[in-house]
Amino acid sequence: MVTPNPDAPASAPAPVPAAGPAGTAAALRASVEAGLAPEAREWLAAALADAAADTPGPSAGLLAWEAHFAAARRRCGAEAADAVRVLILHAARADEQVATRVYDRGDAAERRAVLRALPHLDLGPGAVPLVEDALRTNDTRLVAAALGPYAATHLGEHAWRQAVLKCLFTGVPADEVAGLADRAAGDGELARMLTDYARERTAAGRDVPADLDRILALTRKEV
């Protein structure tokens, strides 16, 4: 059972910063630990040490940190679990192959944490298939996590535009799309897609999502 820190805010989830240099990881860890009870902080310290050392786990072919990754919610609570898992992946120096393995065998919450960890890891474009997989789902939490800073840098233009449209028709707020203003600026094709979508909604007697006009305005800004 997780015992919350009585001095921590009652319901504030641990933030997951947008980028992942060592200083950001240290700040994230400090923020997470501030909301944990002593036994959870001790568990986190051990989990991160195992991740850094590639400590073998109890099963052949399994590293200890992979078991810790799965146990993060139980040991640290639901509000801290995403950030804890980001810290574990960062400490493990997870590459594209490792991130893919953890994503493929994870549940929705674990997959969301992998997606949020991507900008904290030293990865090239090889993890884009994870983003694309999440964008094919109807889980709005996964869609939002997929459109973080990693996608802003590495997701191709067509896939990114389709993702922006998916946010509109699934109700994911535009604020979840990292780098939206920069990527939308001067994007005439995105403007065309948005205009067509608005016309289709209007013709069908449906409301146009509130974020559409905002994104359309961004496309009219000069690059």
Side-chain angles (χ1 to χ4, degrees):
M1 179 177 179
V2 176
T3 304
N5 183 341
D7 297 323
S11 59
V16 180
T24 301
L28 176 57
R29 180 174 178 177
S31 175
V32 171
E33 289 180 335
L36 297 179
E39 63 269 25
R41 286 198 298 270
E42 291 176 7
W43 176 88
L44 176 58
L48 296 179
D50 283 342
D54 283 341
T55 303
S59 303
L62 183 71
L63 295 173
W65 71 261
E66 297 179 80
H68 299 326
F69 181 90
R73 179 185 176 108
R74 176 169 55 85
R75 301 304 297 264
C76 296
E79 292 172 355
D82 270 14
V84 166
R85 287 169 173 153
V86 169
L87 288 171
I88 290 172
L89 286 168
H90 181 271
R93 305 171 301 282
D95 59 16
E96 293 163 3
Q97 182 177 3
V98 170
T100 298
R101 183 177 76 242
V102 175
Y103 179 92
D104 284 346
R105 73 180 182 209
D107 61 19
E110 291 165 6
R111 290 185 170 196
R112 184 176 69 245
V114 172
L115 294 166
R116 289 183 172 173
L118 294 180
H120 293 258
L121 307 175
D122 187 17
L123 303 178
V128 166
L130 304 186
V131 173
E132 293 173 337
D133 179 82
L135 291 173
R136 286 192 291 269
T137 73
N138 291 318
D139 186 330
T140 55
R141 298 170 303 170
L142 283 179
V143 172
L147 289 172
Y150 180 85
T153 300
H154 295 292
L155 192 62
E157 290 184 0
H158 178 71
W160 185 82
R161 292 176 185 130
Q162 292 293 337
V164 171
L165 281 179
K166 181 154 190 170
C167 286
L168 290 174
F169 58 73
T170 59
V172 173
D175 287 341
E176 298 287 352
V177 183
L180 176 62
D182 289 338
R183 289 203 63 166
D187 191 336
E189 177 61 15
L190 178 61
R192 183 195 65 77
M193 294 169 68
L194 292 170
T195 301
D196 288 349
Y197 178 62
R199 287 172 179 163
E200 290 172 4
R201 298 281 298 184
T202 301
R206 298 177 180 177
D207 293 336
V208 175
D211 277 340
L212 189 146
D213 285 341
R214 173 188 166 194
I215 300 172
L216 190 58
L218 292 174
T219 68
R220 299 186 182 116
K221 292 185 178 181
E222 296 183 2
V223 179

